[in-house]
């Protein structure tokens, strides 16, 4: 067996092409992780805003259910007038938040029905400026 000198082309280490491929793969992985974290953060913000809106809707509903007599709820000029924003809850926690009580089975010129159906609707703009809306409903009797 004869000894041969190593070729100059068989150097040890990475070639420039291998290094570029490794950097490209690493860059794609890091960017994917960053985008995933950003999406997760936005989802968390949306969830928090929705929870705040639900809490405000429940608080408004509790306030409505405590009002007596039932005939003072939907009438024009009252704090909880039909279709009008409830001043106590507007702009409370969210951007452009508006809390409105409606009474689907109530006719403005008629007698207040027993039971009275109550629907609370909360509208707001989320952190991205998109309009959002939730509703809850209940009934109140004399």
């Amino acid at each position: 067996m004869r000894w041969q000198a190593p070729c100059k082309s068989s150097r040890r280490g990475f070639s420039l092409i291998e290094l570029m491929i490794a950097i490209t793969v690493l860059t794609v992985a890091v960017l994917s992780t960053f985008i995933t974290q950003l999406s997760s953060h936005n989802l968390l913000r949306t969830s928090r805003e929705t929870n705040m809106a639900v809490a405000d809707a429940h608080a408004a509903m509790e306030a409505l259910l405590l009002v007596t007599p039932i005939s003072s709820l939907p009438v024009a000029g009252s704090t909880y007038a039909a279709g009008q924003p409830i001043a106590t809850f507007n702009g409370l926690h969210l951007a452009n938040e508006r809390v409105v009580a409606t009474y689907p089975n109530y006719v403005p010129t008629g007698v207040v029905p027993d039971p009275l159906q109550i629907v609370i609707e909360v509208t707001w703009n989320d952190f991205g400026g998109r309009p959002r809306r939730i509703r809850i409903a209940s009934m109140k009797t004399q």
Side-chain angles (χ1 to χ4, degrees), residues 28-96:
V28 167
V30 168
L31 285 176
S32 298
T33 304
F34 177 73
I35 290 170
T36 302
Q37 288 296 320
L38 185 61
S39 296
S40 175
H41 178 68
N42 289 342
L43 186 60
L44 180 64
R45 285 177 70 181
T46 299
S47 178
R48 283 183 182 159
E49 288 180 353
T50 303
N51 285 339
M52 278 190 237
V54 168
D56 289 347
H58 281 280
M61 183 64 78
E62 288 295 322
L64 278 162
L65 293 174
L66 292 174
V67 172
T68 54
I70 192 173
S71 60
S72 66
L73 274 177
V75 296
S78 74
T79 305
Y80 306 108
Q84 297 300 314
I86 303 171
T88 310
F89 295 97
N90 285 331
L92 191 60
H93 295 114
L94 302 166
N96 297 324

Side-chain angles (χ1 to χ4, degrees), residues 49 91 93-98 123-126:
E49 288 180 353
H93 295 114
L94 302 166
N96 297 324
E97 183 178 19
R98 190 167 181 247
T123 57
W124 75 99
N125 292 337
D126 69 1

